[in-house]
């Protein structure tokens, strides 16, 4: 007969008491995020859904048989330029980083278009907005900023906008958005950006993967987004960044120097800078072209006539560089597609670039270059 197992029990030994862990800590918040932050992000996301994507136009150029030219028309955004995208991203970036709250004054250094878009979004969020810009900024851009409730502060030199914007933010207790530093990092370059939009819209075209995308640099943020996306998706597309005449980006790219500066500011509003901006990422660029201002404005006028509506000077810079590349592809017997951007509407420059009197006073005579571009588009020699 098997004996019943013995059940043993014992009381655990008493544990010595330990001193409490001493911590320094801030007061626990009542909720994870403020109601204003949640509402602000919701408003920006709703606006993004409400705003349709911009169209991709195909330009009819029979003389360039085998080469398909496309224009991503960013002028159709609610605020009229490609800066609509980056302005939304900059506001989201600052809010999600805890820099902007309810009533925070928002300040930007801008040559105009970014400030127009940021004023629009600041009004949407109920935030006061201030733009620091060169005194020569077009009257149409200034009027648009003020239409959205923004305030303009003027400086004499484009070099002075950075320090004045930072100083104004300090005086007002606000936030300097600093597009020149944060444009390239505020945008998600992997998805939901202008590059993805271009490639999605090209999907059913005869040459769905462009040989080249041409995009000039102001902050450099849009070019950085496109270049990064191309590499991320393992695409054969190359990125060309044309630069304005009085700008340091081209010289920085060729010398690989990030400390270059120049005294004169660019005469093509929206692009070209007197210093190398932090958002300019040369490593994602395949080709740069230095475009004379006269050539930019001549190309602007030629493209405006072909579209039947006015485009701006930076679009002219893009279009001239695209034609330059197309000429070399044609002469090499290559076929393919090229894409560039309509950055904004020429209506913002009707009293400057599109005004004959202003052009003469500024010393621009574009007739000869316009004729050469027209001849090229009709099958003539490359630019």
């Amino acid at each position: 007969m098997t004996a019943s197992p013995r059940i043993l029990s014992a009381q655990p030994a008493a544990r010595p008491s330990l001193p409490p862990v001493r911590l320094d800590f801030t007061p626990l918040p009542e909720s994870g995020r403020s109601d204003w932050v949640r509402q602000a992000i919701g408003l920006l996301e709703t606006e993004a859904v409400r705003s349709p994507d911009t169209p991709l136009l195909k330009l009819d150029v029979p003389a360039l048989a085998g080469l398909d030219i496309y224009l991503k028309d960013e002028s159709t955004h609610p605020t009229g330029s490609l800066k609509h995208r980056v302005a939304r991203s900059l506001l989201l970036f600052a809010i999600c980083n805890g820099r902007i709250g309810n009533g925070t004054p928002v300040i930007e250094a801008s040559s105009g278009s970014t400030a127009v878009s940021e004023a629009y979004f600041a009004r949407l969020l109920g935030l006061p907005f201030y733009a620091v810009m060169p005194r020569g900024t077009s009257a149409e851009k200034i009027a648009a900023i003020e239409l959205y409730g923004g305030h303009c502060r003027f400086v004499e030199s484009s070099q002075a906008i950075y320090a004045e914007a930072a100083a104004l933010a300090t005086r007002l207790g606000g936030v300097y958005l600093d597009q020149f530093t944060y444009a390239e990092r505020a945008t998600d370059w992997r998805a939901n950006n202008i590059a993805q939009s271009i490639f999605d819209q090209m999907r059913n075209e005869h040459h769905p993967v462009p040989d080249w995308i041409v995009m000039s640099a102001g902050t450099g943020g849009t070019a950085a987004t496109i270049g990064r996306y191309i590499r991320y998706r393992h695409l054969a597309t190359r990125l060309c960044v044309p630069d304005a005449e009085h700008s340091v980006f081209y010289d920085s790219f060729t010398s690989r120097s990030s400390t270059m500066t120049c005294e004169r500011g660019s005469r093509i509003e929206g692009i070209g800078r007197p210093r190398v901006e932090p958002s300019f990422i040369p490593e994602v660029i395949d080709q740069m072209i230095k475009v004379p201002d006269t050539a930019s404005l001549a190309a602007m006028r030629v493209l405006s006539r072909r579209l039947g509506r006015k485009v701006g000077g930076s679009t002219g810079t893009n279009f001239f560089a695209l034609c330059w590349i197309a000429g070399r592809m044609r002469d090499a017997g290559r076929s393919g597609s090229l894409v560039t951007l309509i950055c904004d509407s020429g209506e913002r420059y009707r009293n400057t670039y599109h005004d004959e009197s202003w052009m003469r006073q500024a010393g621009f005579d574009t007739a000869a270059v316009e004729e050469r571009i027209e001849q090229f588009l009709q099958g003539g020699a490359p630019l």
Side-chain angles (χ1 to χ4, degrees):
M1 181 174 179
T2 305
S4 298
R6 296 178 64 192
I7 301 175
L8 303 177
S9 63
Q11 297 295 321
R15 295 181 179 178
S17 60
L18 298 174
V21 177
R22 298 186 62 84
L23 299 174
D24 291 327
F25 58 91
T26 59
L28 296 176
E30 295 182 2
S31 62
R33 295 288 180 269
S34 74
D35 289 340
W36 185 88
V37 168
R38 285 193 295 269
Q39 292 169 5
I41 294 172
L43 285 170
L44 292 172
E45 290 178 338
T46 299
E47 193 279 340
V49 173
R50 191 168 60 242
S51 299
D53 196 7
T54 58
L56 185 70
L57 311 177
K58 187 175 182 181
L59 190 66
D60 185 24
V61 188
L64 296 178
L67 295 176
D68 297 333
I69 295 175
Y70 299 87
L71 307 166
K72 179 70 167 164
D73 190 359
E74 294 290 282
S75 72
T76 62
H77 280 296
T79 55
S81 82
L82 65 91
K83 297 300 185 179
H84 193 84
R85 297 177 189 267
V86 73
R88 184 194 297 117
S89 295
L90 286 165
L91 265 296
L92 273 171
F93 188 70
I95 292 169
C96 292
N97 276 296
R99 299 174 65 215
I100 291 179
N102 189 9
T104 302
V106 175
I107 297 90
E108 185 61 280
S110 171
S111 61
S113 287
T114 302
V116 172
S117 298
E118 288 174 345
Y120 167 89
F121 285 111
R123 186 177 72 169
L124 179 69
L125 301 177
L127 302 173
F129 178 77
Y130 300 83
V132 178
M133 60 185 62
R135 193 169 297 279
T137 301
S138 72
E140 291 81 5
K141 288 181 180 178
I142 295 168
I145 293 167
E146 293 175 344
L147 174 68
Y148 294 127
H151 308 277
C152 298
R153 299 288 186 271
F154 300 102
V155 295
E156 297 302 326
S157 166
S158 58
Q159 285 274 26
I161 62 174
Y162 315 98
E164 178 56 28
L168 182 60
T170 299
R171 292 198 299 270
L172 297 176
V175 169
Y176 172 26
L177 290 178
D178 192 0
Q179 59 166 326
F180 301 106
T181 296
Y182 296 109
E184 57 88 10
R185 66 196 71 175
T187 301
D188 185 354
W189 47 267
R190 291 166 294 187
N192 301 317
N193 56 51
I194 189 170
Q196 181 180 19
S197 175
I198 289 170
F199 284 97
D200 285 349
Q201 291 175 320
M202 287 289 295
R203 185 177 296 130
N204 296 324
E205 299 300 319
H206 185 60
H207 301 288
V209 178
D211 281 59
W212 289 92
I213 294 179
V214 179
M215 178 57 210
S216 51
T219 64
T222 301
T225 297
I226 294 171
R228 287 166 169 165
Y229 185 86
I230 288 169
R231 284 154 179 75
Y232 179 62
R233 294 298 181 187
H234 308 288
L235 298 163
T237 302
R238 287 165 290 177
L239 173 64
C240 174
V241 175
D243 195 24
E245 186 175 329
H246 299 290
S247 172
V248 300
F249 288 140
Y250 176 87
D251 294 330
S252 170
F253 179 78
T254 56
S255 66
R256 284 298 192 261
S257 170
S258 61
T259 60
M260 305 182 75
T261 60
C262 67
E263 292 300 319
R264 294 188 63 177
S266 172
R267 295 187 295 177
I268 306 300
E269 284 192 33
I271 61 170
R273 300 301 307 158
R275 71 176 194 183
V276 184
E277 305 296 351
S279 284
F280 179 70
I281 312 296
E283 291 79 9
V284 303
I285 299 169
D286 298 293
Q287 171 89 53
M288 287 199 72
I289 302 170
K290 190 83 162 180
V291 179
D293 291 346
T294 298
S296 291
L297 298 178
M300 172 200 76
R301 290 176 167 230
V302 169
L303 183 58
S304 294
R305 288 195 293 269
R306 286 185 169 252
L307 293 175
R309 58 187 173 92
K310 294 179 176 64
V311 299
S314 58
T315 300
T317 307
N318 289 345
F319 187 60
F320 186 89
L322 181 144
C323 290
W324 186 89
I325 294 172
R328 278 137 190 84
M329 289 182 66
R330 183 198 64 185
D331 289 356
R334 295 183 57 189
S335 60
S337 58
L338 302 94
V339 179
T340 193
L341 277 67
I342 297 175
C343 300
D344 60 3
S345 167
E347 291 302 315
R348 290 183 172 177
Y349 312 98
R350 64 179 179 270
N351 294 317
T352 53
Y353 303 145
H354 288 283
D355 180 83
E356 296 295 340
S357 176
W358 185 94
M359 290 283 284
R360 284 193 301 271
Q361 291 178 9
F364 289 118
D365 182 358
T366 61
V369 185
E370 287 181 54
E371 183 178 358
R372 185 164 182 178
I373 297 170
E374 290 284 10
Q375 288 177 355
F376 164 71
L377 294 173
Q378 294 166 19
L383 303 177

